[in-house]
Amino acid sequence: MDNPSKIREGSVIYSLGEFDGKQVEYDFSKVLTYLDAKGKMLFGRNFRLFPEDHKVLLKLCNYMVRDRTGCQKMGIDPDKGILLSGPVGCGKTTLMKLIRHIVPHYRPYEVIPARNIVFGFNHVGHRIIEDYGNGRYFCFDDIGVEQMGRHFGKDCNVLGEILLSRHELFLESGLQTHATTNLNAAELEERYGNRVRSRMRELFNLVAFDQSARDKRGIITENKK
């Protein structure tokens, strides 16, 4: 479909706003309608969007559609990636898997659990760091709580090394990286060290759920596919 303001899902066409032939003026209420429907397709009929999360969703939506005016008002740099933080179970992974669908005309990122990357390192070694330090688009899920990597008796802070590589790519080509975490800034620095933490400030926009955000895991049941 040539009109980026409309998305077809099966026989249904969802409008996200108005397209004047050059740019889309997005309507957040219409975007929410689409995200609710797409969420049910991806995660099951129990999926729902919560009103208390709309502030976070608005930031993510403005970022994804590259609304530079909206991003500026919210203190977001659209040229950086997103670090979505919040308590366990608040919906970070689900939103990062969902929000990319509102811009099907942009190249999508893959959501990769940090622990899986470490498992891969333990099996094949530093090739994993090279694989994720390349020109592809990634969202590293649940960073900061993964185990230390160990290959042939040598320990490695795998995600720390990958983030350093991604930072170099960002400086060289503007390649964006996204991530989710349960940890705060001090905890991330303790996990990865000051050098990586300083690079993360340059690499990411911090978008945070309120620390009192509810655990939604008992409310939303994700389909197992």
Side-chain angles (χ1 to χ4, degrees):
M1 187 176 294
D2 294 331
N3 186 340
S5 71
K6 299 186 185 300
I7 298 178
R8 180 187 295 275
E9 296 288 353
S11 61
V12 180
I13 296 177
Y14 294 90
S15 173
L16 306 185
E18 300 296 330
F19 181 53
D20 64 7
K22 294 183 179 179
Q23 62 183 16
V24 178
E25 183 174 340
Y26 287 89
D27 182 325
F28 186 54
S29 63
K30 292 181 178 179
V31 173
L32 287 177
T33 297
Y34 170 70
L35 289 175
D36 182 71
K38 185 66 176 180
K40 287 178 169 59
M41 295 176 207
L42 293 173
F43 308 117
R45 63 183 182 180
N46 291 332
F47 175 85
R48 54 184 287 211
L49 297 172
F50 295 84
E52 64 264 33
D53 296 339
H54 284 186
K55 184 177 179 180
V56 168
L57 266 171
L58 181 59
K59 289 182 178 181
L60 293 176
C61 287
N62 273 276
Y63 173 84
M64 287 293 167
V65 304
R66 299 295 185 264
D67 182 342
R68 289 188 173 270
T69 301
C71 285
Q72 185 176 23
K73 291 178 180 177
M74 295 177 178
I76 295 173
D77 183 346
D79 295 322
K80 294 183 179 183
I82 291 290
L83 175 61
L84 185 59
S85 72
V88 173
C90 68
K92 300 180 296 297
T93 304
T94 297
L95 288 190
M96 290 305 290
K97 288 181 177 179
L98 176 63
I99 200 72
R100 59 189 172 178
H101 291 282
I102 66 173
V103 283
H105 49 294
Y106 291 157
R107 184 178 172 184
Y109 52 83
E110 298 176 63
V111 179
I112 309 291
R115 68 178 183 275
N116 289 8
I117 297 173
V118 175
F119 292 156
F121 176 87
N122 294 344
H123 182 60
V124 302
H126 282 80
R127 194 184 80 197
I128 286 293
I129 295 175
E130 296 172 6
D131 288 345
Y132 288 102
N134 61 23
R136 292 157 64 192
Y137 288 80
F138 294 111
C139 174
F140 300 124
D141 188 37
D142 211 13
I143 68 170
V145 295
E146 73 280 357
Q147 297 293 315
M148 185 71 72
R150 190 171 180 82
H151 185 67
F152 282 112
K154 292 185 178 181
D155 290 339
C156 179
N157 194 325
V158 180
L159 263 294
E161 292 297 324
I162 289 173
L163 290 172
L164 289 174
S165 296
R166 300 293 297 187
H167 178 260
E168 290 179 8
L169 285 171
F170 172 68
L171 294 181
E172 292 169 1
S173 64
L175 183 72
Q176 294 173 335
T177 302
H178 309 302
T180 72
T181 186
N182 303 329
L183 305 185
N184 60 35
E187 291 168 329
L188 285 170
E189 183 167 334
E190 182 179 353
R191 179 67 177 83
Y192 296 120
N194 179 262
R195 180 171 175 240
V196 173
R197 176 59 188 144
S198 67
R199 302 302 190 274
M200 291 175 70
R201 293 188 186 97
E202 297 178 14
L203 194 58
F204 296 121
N205 294 284
L206 177 61
V207 177
F209 282 86
D210 191 283
Q211 285 302 306
S212 63
R214 70 171 110 174
D215 187 335
K216 305 177 182 74
R217 289 172 298 181
I219 304 172
I220 300 173
T221 303
E222 183 172 342
N223 287 339
K224 302 297 181 183
K225 295 182 180 179

